[in-house]
C-alpha cells in the first residue's frame, strides 16, 4: 500500500487496483484498458486519502469519535457525523497532495477543464463491496480551488450519517474503509444515448442503438422518444432505422444542474446519427461485449467527432426464445374449442376477451393503447400499470403464474395469458384476437365465448354469502384500488398486502426519496395506500408485507441507476435483507406503519419477506423498537419462503413471531431450484413436490404446537386441492387471490366437514 501513488490515471489502472481506486475507478480503468474511449480522468487514490488523515494528524481523533458511536442512536449518529466531517474539512490538504492534484488537473487540458468529481469508496478487506450512492458526487466543477474543495468534500462524505450507519450494519470497520475520488472530464454531449450490443430479447448479433440530442439523461429517463437504429454485425450494415420526433433535449445549465430545451423544427425530425456513427458505436459495443463475454448495455455520448463510452454493464434480459419461422404459423394450425389457436401460454387471470392487438416494446409506446385493446408485451413492469387498467386482456412472452403481469391482471380482473414465449413476434399490431385467460389460449379473430365462460372480470361481489369456516379464508391484495373488490369476497382479512406494487407505481425508487430528502412524500404515499386497504377491512386482520422487490424491477425508475446490477436478482438484494442494510428505506416504511397504528388501525400486522434466519427477525424488530414502535403490542410475523426458515421455524417461534405465512411462490423455487418466472422450466415448477410439502407440514406442526398462527399467501393458496391438503394438515388460515376466494372457501368448508365427519365416524 505504501508504494501506491496519490494519483493514478485511468490508463495506469489495473484490475488489482480496485483497493486503491474503488469500484467506479476500477471499472473506468478496465474500459480504458480495452481501448474504449472513456472521458479523460484521474483518480485521487485511497492512499492519498489515508496520507491526508495521517499527515494532518486527524486520524486518531476521527476514528476515536467513531468507535464510541451507537449508530442506533439517531441524535448521536447525526452529531458525530457532523463533527467528523467538520474535522476532515477543517484541515488543509498536505501540500504535496494538493500539488499533485492541481498538476494532474492541469494535464487534463489548458485553461481549466470542467470536471465531474465522484466518490469511489473501497474496503481493504472486501474491495468488491458496493458503497454506491453513499458518498458525494459534484458535477460541473471548474478551477483549482473548486476542485480541491470538491475532493475534500468527497473525503468528508465518507463520514455522512448514512454512510456510517450503512457500514456499521454491514459489519465494516470504519478504519478499513477508504475513499478514492475520480476526477473526470465532463462531457457536454451533442448527441447521446444507449446501445444494446446484442438484441436484448433474442440475443441475435444485432446492435440496437438509441440516440437523441443533448445529454443522455433525456434517453435514460424516457423524457424523449429517441431514434432507433439496428446494426447487423454480420453484414456490418444499418438494417433498420426509425427516426423519432424528438421534442426536447437536456443540456447543462450554468455552473450546476441541467435544463430542458425545446428543439427547433429542423432538429426534431432530423436523424441524430449517421450510418457511420452507428457503425462506430456498434464496433465499440462489440469490443466491450467480447471483453466481458456477455452482451452489454452501454451509455454513449458524442461531441463533434469524438465518441465516448460512459458506462457498460451486462444486459440481463436476454432469454433466447424460439424465433418463429415467417409464414410457418398459419398452415395446419390447431383448433381449440373457440376456433383457430394462434398461441398458448399459462392462463394467469381468468376470463375471455377479444380485441385489437397493441404490441408494446417500451413503456413509452403505451400512449398508442386505446381502451379495450389487448396489450401484448415481453413482460409488463410497474410503469405499465396505468395502461394495464385500460386494456381488455394482457398477453406476455415471459413469466409464470406469479410474475408481475399475472399478479396485477388478477387484481384488475383482466384476463391474461403469460409465458407464450413468442406473442410479440407472432402477433401483429391491429390484429384481432381472443384471449382465454383460464385455459391460456389465444384464438384468431373475435370469437364468441360460451355464455358461462364470460365475462372476464366477473366482479367478486357476485360471490354467494360467505360460508363460515373454522380456517380463516383471507385474500391477497397488491393494488389499493382492488381493496373494495377484495373485501366484497367476504374474505376474513388480508393475508398479504404487497406494498412493492404501490411503491413501484410511484416511478421513483425508495432510495431516490431518501437521496432527495423527500421521505415525507414517500411515507405519505405508503400511508395512504395501506389505509385504503385497512378501511376496506374494518376490524379484520390485514398483514402488510415490508418491501420485497428485486433490484431489476427498480431499474427503470428514477433513482434506478443506483441499484446494483445483480447476476441473479431473485437471489440478491431483496426482502428483509435489503431493508436491514438500507435502514433509511426501512425506516420510511416503519414510520408509515407507526402512524397507522397511532391512528387506531390495530388490525395492521407486519410481515417480513424472505427471512432465512431468526436473527433477521430479531434485528428488524429491534430497529422498529429503536424508531419508537411498541413492538410487544403489535403483530409481527414472517413469510416462510426459503427452506431455511421452514427448517428453523422453532427458532423463529422462540424469537417471538406472532405468525408465519408460506410464500410458496418463492418456497417452491428455492426448494426445487426452478425459476418461478422462467417459462422454459414452468412445467417443472411443482407446488406439490414432496420436499415442498414436507417443509410445509413440518412448519405447520411446529406452529400448531406453540399456538402461532400459520397461513399461506403464495399462489398455491388459490388452488383448492392444495388448500384441502393444508387444511387436512392443520393450517390456521389461508389467503387466496381475489378471483379464487369463493372456490377456496368452498374447498375449506368441504375439507373441514370431511374431517368432522371422519372424526364422528371414528368415535361412533
Ligand atoms: C411468495 O413468494 O409466495 C409470495 C407470496 O411472495 P411474492 O410472490 O411477492 O414473492
Ligand atoms: Mg415471495
Amino acid at each position: 500500500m505504501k508504494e501506491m501513488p496519490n494519483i493514478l490515471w485511468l490508463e495506469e489502472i489495473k484490475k488489482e487496483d480496485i483497493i486503491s481506486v474503488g469500484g467506479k475507478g476500477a471499472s473506468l480503468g478496465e474500459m480504458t484498458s480495452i481501448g474504449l474511449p472513456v472521458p479523460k480522468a484521474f483518480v485521487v487514490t485511497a492512499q492519498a486519502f489515508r496520507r491526508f488523515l495521517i499527515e494532518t494528524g486527524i486520524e486518531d481523533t476521527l476514528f476515536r469519535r467513531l468507535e464510541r458511536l451507537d449508530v442506533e442512536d439517531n441524535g448521536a449518529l447525526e452529531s458525530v457525523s457532523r463533527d467528523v466531517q467538520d474535522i476532515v474539512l477543517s484541515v488543509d490538504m498536505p501540500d504535496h497532495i494538493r500539488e499533485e492534484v492541481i498538476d494532474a488537473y492541469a494535464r487534463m487540458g489548458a485553461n481549466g477543464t470542467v470536471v465531474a468529481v465522484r466518490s469511489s469508496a473501497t474496503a481493504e478487506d472486501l474491495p468488491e463491496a458496493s458503497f454506491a450512492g453513499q458518498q458525494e458526487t459534484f458535477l460541473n466543477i471548474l478551477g483549482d480551488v473548486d476542485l480541491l474543495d470538491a475532493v475534500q468534500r468527497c473525503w468528508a462524505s465518507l463520514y455522512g450519517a448514512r454512510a456510517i450507519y450503512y457500514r456499521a450494519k454491514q459489519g465494516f470497520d470504519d478504519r478499513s474503509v477508504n475513499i478514492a475520488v475520480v476526477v473526470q472530464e465532463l462531457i457536454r454531449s451533442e448527441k447521446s444515448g444507449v446501445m444494446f450490443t446484442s438484441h436484448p430479447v433474442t440475443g441475435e448479433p444485432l446492435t440496437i442503438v438509441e440516440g437523441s440530442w443533448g445529454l443522455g439523461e433525456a434517453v435514460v429517463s424516457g423524457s424523449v422518444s429517441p431514434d432507433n437504429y439496428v446494426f447487423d454485425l454480420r453484414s456490418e450494415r444499418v438494417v433498420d432505422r426509425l427516426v423519432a420526433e424528438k421534442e426536447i433535449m437536456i443540456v447543462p445549465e450554468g455552473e450546476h444542474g441541467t435544463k430542458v430545451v425545446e428543439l427547433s423544427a429542423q432538429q426534431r425530425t432530423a436523424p441524430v446519427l449517421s450510418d457511420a456513427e452507428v457503425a462506430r458505436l456498434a464496433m465499440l459495443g462489440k469490443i466491450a461485449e467480447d471483453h466481458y463475454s456477455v452482451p452489454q448495455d452501454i451509455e454513449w455520448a458524442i461531441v463533434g467527432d469524438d465518441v465516448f463510452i460512459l458506462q457498460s454493464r451486462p444486459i440481463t434480459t436476454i432469454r433466447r426464445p424460439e424465433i418463429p419461422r415467417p409464414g410457418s404459423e398459419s398452415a395446419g394450425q390447431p383448433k381449440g374449442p373457440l376456433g383457430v389457436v394462434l398461441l398458448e401460454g399459462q392462463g394467469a387471470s381468468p376470463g375471455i376477451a377479444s380485441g385489437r392487438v397493441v404490441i408494446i416494446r417500451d413503456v413509452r409506446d403505451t400512449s398508442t393503447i386505446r381502451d379495450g385493446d389487448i396489450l401484448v408485451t415481453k413482460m409488463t413492469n410497474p410503469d405499465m400499470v396505468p395502461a394495464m387498467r385500460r386494456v381488455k386482456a394482457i398477453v406476455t412472452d415471459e413469466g409464470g403464474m406469479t410474475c408481475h403481469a399475472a399478479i396485477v391482471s388478477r387484481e384488475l380482473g383482466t384476463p391474461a395469458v403469460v409465458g407464450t414465449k413468442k406473442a410479440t413476434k407472432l402477433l401483429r399490431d391491429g390484429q384481432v384476437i381472443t384471449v382465454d385467460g383460464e385455459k391460456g389460449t389465444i384464438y384468431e379473430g373475435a370469437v364468441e365465448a360460451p355464455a358461462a365462460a364470460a365475462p372476464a372480470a366477473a366482479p367478486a361481489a357476485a360471490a354467494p354469502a360467505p360460508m363460515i369456516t373454522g380456517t380463516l379464508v383471507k385474500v391477497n391484495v397488491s393494488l389499493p384500488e382492488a381493496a373494495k373488490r377484495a373485501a366484497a369476497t367476504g374474505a376474513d382479512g388480508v393475508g398479504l398486502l404487497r406494498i412493492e406494487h404501490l411503491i413501484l407505481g410511484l416511478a421513483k425508487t425508495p432510495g431516490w426519496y431518501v437521496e432527495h430528502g423527500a421521505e415525507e412524500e414517500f411515507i405519505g404515499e405508503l400511508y395512504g395506500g395501506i389505509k385504503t386497504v385497512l378501511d376496506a377491512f374494518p376490524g379484520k386482520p390485514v398483514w402488510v408485507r415490508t418491501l420485497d422487490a428485486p433490484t431489476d424491477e427498480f431499474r427503470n425508475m428514477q433513482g434506478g441507476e443506483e441499484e446494483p446490477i445483480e447476476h441473479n436478482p431473485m437471489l440478491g438484494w431483496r426482502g428483509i435483507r435489503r431493508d436491514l442494510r438500507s435502514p433509511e428505506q426501512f425506516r420510511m416504511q416503519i414510520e408509515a406503519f407507526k402512524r397507522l397504528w397511532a391512528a387506531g388501525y390495530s388490525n395492521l400486522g407486519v410481515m417480513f419477506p424472505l427471512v432465512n434466519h431468526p436473527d433477521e427477525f430479531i434485528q428488524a424488530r429491534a430497529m422498529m423498537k429503536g424508531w419508537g414502535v411498541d413492538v410487544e403490542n403489535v403483530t409481527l410475523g414472517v413469510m416462510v419462503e426459503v427452506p431455511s426458515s421452514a427448517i428453523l421455524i422453532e427458532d423463529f417461534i422462540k424469537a417471538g413471531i406472532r405468525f408465519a405465512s408460506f410464500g410458496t411462490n418463492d418456497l417452491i423455487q428455492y426448494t426445487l431450484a426452478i425459476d418461478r418466472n422462467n417459462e422454459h422450466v414452468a412445467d417443472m415448477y411443482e407446488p406439490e413436490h414432496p420436499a415442498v410439502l414436507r417443509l410445509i407440514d413440518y412448519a405447520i406442526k411446529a406452529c400448531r404446537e406453540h399456538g402461532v398462527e400459520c397461513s399461506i399467501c403464495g399462489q398455491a393458496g388459490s388452488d383448492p386441492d392444495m388448500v384441502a391438503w393444508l387444511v387436512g394438515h392443520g393450517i390456521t388460515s389461508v389467503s387466496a387471490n381475489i378471483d379464487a376466494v369463493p372456490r377456496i372457501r368452498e374447498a375449506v368448508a368441504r375439507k373441514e366437514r370431511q374431517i368432522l365427519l371422519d372424526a364422528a365416524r371414528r368415535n361412533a
Side-chain angles (χ1 to χ4, degrees):
M1 188 146 172
K2 263 185 240 115
E3 306 308 322
M4 184 52 72
N6 291 325
I7 303 286
L8 274 182
W9 288 86
L10 292 189
E11 296 73 13
E12 300 171 303
I13 293 172
K14 298 178 294 304
K15 265 203 193 111
E16 315 77 80
D17 294 331
I18 186 165
I19 197 158
S20 305
V21 298
K24 201 172 283 165
S27 144
L28 291 170
E30 187 170 3
M31 292 200 294
T32 307
S33 73
I34 59 170
L36 294 177
V38 176
K40 214 183 279 181
F42 64 85
V43 180
V44 183
T45 60
Q47 288 75 11
F49 167 68
R50 229 38 208 210
R51 288 174 191 130
F52 159 79
L53 292 184
I54 296 165
E55 291 172 28
T56 52
I58 60 175
E59 193 190 24
D60 274 349
T61 332
L62 187 153
F63 288 126
R64 250 184 286 116
R65 287 289 276 134
L66 287 166
E67 257 163 26
R68 291 193 297 265
L69 174 64
D70 169 12
V71 295
E72 297 298 348
D73 177 346
N74 241 326
L77 176 64
E78 291 288 342
S79 114
V80 168
S81 156
R82 250 192 324 270
D83 288 358
V84 172
Q85 294 196 73
D86 283 348
I87 298 176
V88 174
L89 293 173
S90 66
V91 292
D92 287 336
M93 198 183 286
D95 287 345
H96 69 108
I97 301 180
R98 168 199 302 267
E99 277 155 24
E100 283 185 61
V101 173
I102 292 177
D103 207 42
Y105 181 54
R107 282 169 55 199
M108 264 188 143
N111 306 327
T113 305
V114 178
V115 289
V117 181
R118 304 176 193 276
S119 301
S120 183
T122 166
E124 276 167 18
D125 38 358
L126 196 58
E128 310 279 344
S130 168
F131 300 97
Q134 307 281 337
Q135 286 77 223
E136 296 281 356
T137 283
F138 300 93
L139 298 175
N140 278 349
I141 298 294
L142 176 65
D144 295 348
V145 176
D146 284 2
L147 171 60
L148 291 169
D149 181 58
V151 170
Q152 206 155 339
R153 283 183 188 281
C154 283
W155 287 346
S157 72
L158 189 59
Y159 305 108
R162 198 153 49 90
I164 298 175
Y165 190 95
Y166 177 83
R167 289 194 296 271
K169 289 288 150 191
Q170 296 259 49
F172 284 105
D173 174 4
D174 284 312
R175 286 177 192 268
S176 75
V177 179
N178 285 320
I179 185 162
V181 179
V182 178
V183 179
Q184 185 168 39
E185 183 187 354
L186 196 73
I187 298 301
R188 293 182 179 264
S189 23
E190 289 159 7
K191 334 167 164 185
S192 57
V194 295
M195 77 174 134
F196 295 117
T197 59
S198 289
H199 192 290
V201 178
T202 65
E204 281 178 279
L206 296 171
T207 303
I208 318 285
V209 182
E210 291 195 330
S212 193
W213 304 110
L215 296 180
E217 219 178 314
V219 176
V220 175
S221 68
S223 51
V224 71
S225 298
D227 288 357
N228 185 295
Y229 306 85
V230 181
F231 184 86
D232 191 326
L233 291 159
R234 294 159 292 201
S235 60
E236 300 198 350
R237 281 190 322 113
V238 175
V239 291
D240 203 0
R241 176 185 300 98
L242 193 138
V243 178
E245 171 133 10
K246 303 161 287 288
E247 294 185 353
I248 53 122
M249 67 174 167
I250 298 181
V251 294
E253 169 156 54
E255 291 288 294
H256 292 289
T258 57
K259 65 177 176 195
V260 175
V261 178
E262 297 258 332
L263 287 171
S264 68
Q266 192 269 332
Q267 266 186 315
R268 274 176 192 230
T269 49
V272 171
L273 295 172
S274 66
D275 281 10
E277 286 173 322
V278 175
R280 205 160 147 207
L281 286 169
M283 290 309 152
L284 293 173
K286 177 99 179 51
I287 294 174
E289 178 171 324
D290 288 348
H291 174 73
Y292 292 106
S293 305
V294 273
Q296 299 287 299
D297 170 354
I298 287 177
E299 281 179 35
W300 57 266
I302 295 183
V303 194
D305 288 335
D306 295 327
V307 176
F308 294 101
I309 300 300
L310 307 176
Q311 195 175 76
S312 182
R313 49 188 177 204
I315 304 178
T316 49
T317 55
I318 292 185
R319 291 281 194 277
R320 299 184 197 279
E322 289 164 42
I323 314 280
R325 286 187 308 278
S328 65
E329 295 81 23
S330 50
Q333 269 167 327
K335 282 275 205 174
L338 300 183
V340 176
V341 175
L342 292 176
L343 263 176
E344 281 179 308
Q346 281 188 277
S349 175
I352 296 180
S354 308
R356 194 183 69 111
V357 166
V358 180
I359 299 181
I360 298 298
R361 300 192 195 280
D362 187 304
V363 66
R364 280 166 273 171
D365 306 335
T366 51
S367 55
T368 58
I369 293 181
R370 292 199 303 253
D371 288 359
D373 283 343
I374 293 184
L375 189 162
V376 177
T377 189
K378 191 166 62 116
M379 173 44 61
T380 59
N381 65 43
D383 327 18
M384 288 189 195
V385 173
M388 293 170 79
R389 290 193 178 102
R390 303 211 308 272
V391 297
K392 278 215 321 237
I394 292 165
V395 179
T396 67
D397 289 351
E398 299 176 355
M401 292 299 283
T402 64
C403 69
H404 180 266
I407 291 170
V408 174
S409 306
R410 282 194 294 265
E411 297 231 336
L412 295 172
T414 305
V417 175
V418 299
T420 62
K421 298 191 183 143
K422 49 193 177 187
T424 59
K425 301 254 158 23
L426 209 59
L427 302 176
R428 295 179 313 277
D429 273 315
Q431 181 179 8
V432 174
I433 58 168
T434 299
V435 176
D436 181 341
E438 175 93 47
K439 305 234 163 30
T441 316
I442 318 283
Y443 296 96
E444 190 171 34
V447 291
E448 282 282 311
M467 301 162 231
I468 306 296
T469 53
T471 311
L472 297 185
V473 177
K474 304 182 192 172
V475 64
N476 298 339
V477 180
S478 297
L479 304 171
E481 70 197 77
K484 283 217 171 78
R485 274 185 65 228
T489 61
D492 300 317
V494 173
L496 167 65
L497 170 58
R498 291 181 168 98
I499 61 168
E500 53 278 4
H501 291 262
L502 209 157
I503 290 168
L504 293 169
L506 301 177
K508 291 175 196 139
T509 62
W512 185 95
Y513 286 93
V514 174
E515 281 289 326
H516 291 77
E519 288 94 339
E520 272 305 314
E521 192 188 327
F522 181 90
I523 294 166
E525 291 280 355
L526 211 53
Y527 180 93
I530 300 171
K531 181 172 176 301
T532 303
V533 180
L534 286 163
D535 285 338
F537 289 86
K540 294 183 178 177
V542 173
W543 291 348
V544 179
R545 183 176 72 181
T546 54
L547 187 57
D548 183 15
T551 48
D552 53 337
E553 292 200 3
F554 281 125
R555 184 98 52 237
N556 290 334
M557 303 166 73
Q558 242 177 298
E561 62 286 351
E562 296 290 343
E563 292 294 310
I565 309 281
E566 295 186 302
H567 193 61
N568 196 339
M570 274 290 185
L571 297 178
W573 203 34
R574 55 173 287 213
I576 194 65
R577 60 182 77 149
R578 177 175 180 138
D579 274 341
L580 294 179
R581 291 178 184 187
S582 327
E584 309 83 353
Q585 296 179 28
F586 192 32
R587 192 196 64 80
M588 293 193 293
Q589 300 168 57
I590 301 306
E591 183 59 33
F593 303 152
K594 217 172 104 183
R595 291 180 195 180
L596 286 161
W597 279 317
Y601 291 100
S602 54
N603 52 331
L604 162 68
V606 171
M607 176 155 78
F608 302 123
L610 221 76
V611 290
N612 67 25
H613 193 285
D615 284 352
E616 290 172 324
F617 173 75
I618 292 168
Q619 196 184 340
R621 188 180 48 192
M623 286 165 85
M624 291 176 77
K625 189 169 179 197
W627 292 320
V629 174
D630 178 8
V631 290
E632 303 306 327
N633 289 308
V634 295
T635 309
L636 303 180
V638 294
M639 303 271 296
V640 175
E641 293 175 287
V642 186
S644 59
S645 59
I647 293 166
L648 296 180
I649 192 72
E650 297 250 344
D651 301 285
F652 278 97
I653 294 168
K654 276 189 210 122
I657 57 168
R658 295 273 186 90
F659 65 87
S661 179
F662 296 110
T664 43
N665 305 340
D666 280 319
L667 186 62
I668 297 163
Q669 78 165 347
Y670 297 134
T671 307
L672 306 182
I674 301 286
D675 177 351
R676 61 190 261 191
N677 285 335
N678 184 338
E679 61 279 7
H680 300 290
V681 289
D683 59 326
M684 299 175 218
Y685 184 85
E686 217 188 308
E688 292 178 20
H689 188 288
V692 175
L693 296 183
R694 202 178 289 183
L695 284 170
I696 292 179
D697 179 44
Y698 177 77
I700 294 179
K701 282 210 180 85
C703 286
R704 282 203 84 85
E705 221 167 87
H706 295 90
V708 166
E709 181 168 356
C710 184
S711 191
I712 178 171
C713 57
Q715 178 62 21
S718 295
D719 171 0
D721 292 339
M722 180 70 162
V723 164
W725 184 90
L726 289 165
V727 172
H729 284 75
I731 201 154
T732 17
S733 67
V734 297
S735 189
N737 302 327
I738 299 175
D739 62 278
V741 171
R743 65 173 184 271
I744 291 305
R745 191 178 285 284
E746 195 187 308
V748 170
R750 202 177 283 276
K751 184 70 192 180
E752 287 180 347
R753 278 177 211 162
Q754 189 199 334
I755 294 170
L756 289 174
L757 208 59
D758 287 349
R761 283 187 186 136
R762 267 199 310 275
N763 295 334

